[in-house]
Amino acid sequence: MIDVKEVKYFIKNSTSNSFVTRCTDNRDWVIRLKKQGKNSKRLFSEYVAGTLAQEFGISRPPVSLVRLSKSNYSKVNSKEKLFDDKCNIGVGSKYIKGLDDIGMPQTKSFLNKDFSEINRKFILKILEGSPNFEQIFGLKVFSHWIYLSDYHKYENLKVNRDKQIYFLDFDLAFSSNNGEWEELQPYDWINIQTDQAPFWEGFTYEIEPFENWFTKLLQLDLHRIILNLGRIPDCWGVPENYLIDTLKFIFSNRDNFIEEFRHAIDFKKQSKYGFENY
C-alpha cells in the first residue's frame, strides 16, 4: 500500500470521480475511492483485475491500494460528500503521461456487413509499427477470462506517441448474471465469440495469434497472486470468501475456458468463410 502526499486535481468527465495525486513513491497516481453506498464491487474489480493483468502481461498501468490521510481525504470530499468518509483506502493506477485515443474508422454503422474489414484496415494503419500490437489479442483472452463486461468503446484502447498500446478501466470485471457479488457462470463459447469491443472486429477469425496468451494463462501462479493482493480493505464490504472463491473458479477452469475460446474462434472462422467451404 502507498500513501497520498498531495491531491492535485480531479479528472474531467470521470464517471468514477477519479483524481490525480502525488504519492509517497514520488509518482503520480490516479485514485478511485468508495462512494456513498456504492461502487465497492468496482473498486474490488479494478484492483484484483488490475493485479491479474500485470501478472498476465496486459499493458495497463500498475495498480495499488492507496491510503489518504484525514486532511487529504477532507480535500477531495469537502464539497459534495461524494465519498464514504469511513473508507480512506482506494485503488490507484499509476498515471501514464501522453496517452491518446486512437479514434475510430469512418463508417455509417458498426453493423455494416463490411465493418470487420473496415476496422481491420483502420487498426493496422493507426497502429502500424506498434511495439506491442499483440496486446490486441491478449486483451481478448483476458477480458473473457475475467468476465469483463465493459469493453464496448474505441476509447478503451489508448496509445502513446510511440504507438505503445495501453488499456484502462477493468472495474466491471467478474460480472455475474445473478447479481453483483454472486458466483460466476460457466464459460460459454457463445459469449466469447461476440467481440465486445469494435476494435477487435476483423482480428478474431484465426486462433494462432491467441496461442501464446493461452500459454501465459496456464503459467499464472494463483498463490503468488493472492500474496501480491494482500488484504482487501474491510471498508469495501466485500463478502467473506468472495475473493478466494472467485479466483479459485477462474483458475480451476482455465482449461475449459481455453477450449470454449477455441470453439468461439472456430465458429467465427466458419461463419466468415462459409460452413460448406470450411
Side-chain angles (χ1 to χ4, degrees):
M1 186 182 304
I2 57 177
D3 291 280
V4 170
K5 288 203 310 185
E6 175 193 359
V7 176
K8 291 192 165 185
Y9 57 88
F10 277 87
I11 296 175
K12 274 186 180 180
N13 303 319
S14 169
T15 56
S16 62
N17 300 114
S18 302
F19 52 94
V20 177
T21 68
R22 174 56 60 100
C23 288
T24 48
D25 63 349
N26 290 319
R27 296 178 182 274
D28 288 347
W29 290 76
V30 179
I31 311 299
R32 301 179 185 208
L33 289 176
K34 185 177 182 298
K35 294 181 180 179
Q36 296 281 5
K38 59 183 177 180
N39 88 313
S40 286
K41 177 65 180 296
R42 289 196 172 206
L43 291 177
F44 171 89
S45 297
E46 180 72 6
Y47 178 56
V48 175
T51 302
L52 287 170
Q54 288 171 244
E55 291 288 325
F56 187 52
I58 295 298
S59 182
R60 65 142 294 147
V63 295
S64 175
L65 296 178
V66 179
R67 180 171 48 209
L68 281 82
S69 66
K70 187 174 181 179
S71 60
N72 278 323
Y73 200 94
S74 296
K75 289 178 184 177
V76 299
N77 209 30
S78 60
K79 292 184 179 179
E80 300 179 34
K81 299 293 182 186
L82 292 169
F83 305 118
D84 182 347
D85 58 12
K86 294 182 177 135
C87 191
N88 69 329
I89 299 175
V91 179
S93 297
K94 193 172 287 186
Y95 179 70
I96 307 292
K97 281 186 178 180
L99 294 186
D100 289 316
D101 295 337
I102 63 166
M104 57 186 296
Q106 294 296 316
T107 181
K108 291 182 179 179
S109 171
F110 291 166
L111 299 178
N112 184 326
K113 64 182 178 64
D114 298 319
F115 178 70
S116 289
E117 189 57 29
I118 291 169
N119 177 72
R120 182 179 175 83
K121 289 179 179 178
F122 169 78
I123 293 292
L124 290 175
K125 181 178 179 180
I126 292 294
L127 296 179
E128 183 179 7
S130 170
N132 64 342
F133 186 81
E134 73 282 355
Q135 287 287 324
I136 294 285
F137 305 101
L139 185 68
K140 172 76 175 173
V141 173
F142 185 69
S143 66
H144 289 292
W145 181 55
I146 64 166
Y147 294 81
L148 187 63
S149 65
D150 179 34
Y151 252 85
H152 305 287
K153 307 180 292 292
Y154 280 93
E155 298 95 286
N156 290 335
L157 192 164
K158 307 286 187 183
V159 292
N160 65 15
R161 63 183 180 181
D162 297 321
K163 298 186 179 180
Q164 185 95 9
I165 293 171
Y166 288 89
F167 301 107
L168 307 178
D169 297 339
F170 291 167
D171 62 344
L172 289 178
F174 314 115
S175 294
S176 169
N177 295 332
N178 294 328
E180 190 171 59
W181 297 106
E182 297 302 318
E183 64 183 24
L184 300 172
Q185 301 302 297
Y187 292 108
D188 185 344
W189 71 269
I190 295 176
N191 294 327
I192 295 171
Q193 63 90 28
T194 300
D195 289 330
Q196 294 165 284
F199 56 73
W200 279 319
E201 293 296 337
F203 292 98
T204 55
Y205 296 116
E206 303 292 339
I207 197 64
E208 286 75 16
F210 300 102
E211 294 288 357
N212 186 48
W213 294 101
F214 296 153
T215 300
K216 289 184 177 185
L217 182 62
L218 293 173
Q219 290 173 342
L220 288 177
D221 185 335
L222 175 57
H223 181 65
R224 171 187 162 93
I225 287 166
I226 291 173
L227 288 177
N228 285 343
L229 284 167
R231 182 181 176 86
I232 300 296
D234 291 337
C235 63
W236 288 3
V238 178
E240 187 178 2
N241 298 325
Y242 181 79
L243 170 63
I244 297 301
D245 289 346
T246 298
L247 290 178
K248 282 183 177 178
F249 177 86
I250 65 174
F251 271 81
S252 64
N253 283 285
R254 282 178 289 181
D255 287 331
N256 175 251
F257 166 71
I258 291 171
E259 182 181 346
E260 293 294 307
F261 196 103
R262 289 182 183 281
H263 188 173
I265 299 301
D266 188 49
F267 177 82
K268 286 181 70 70
K269 185 174 183 178
Q270 292 183 59
S271 299
K272 178 181 179 181
Y273 295 111
F275 289 89
E276 70 279 2
N277 297 319
Y278 182 70

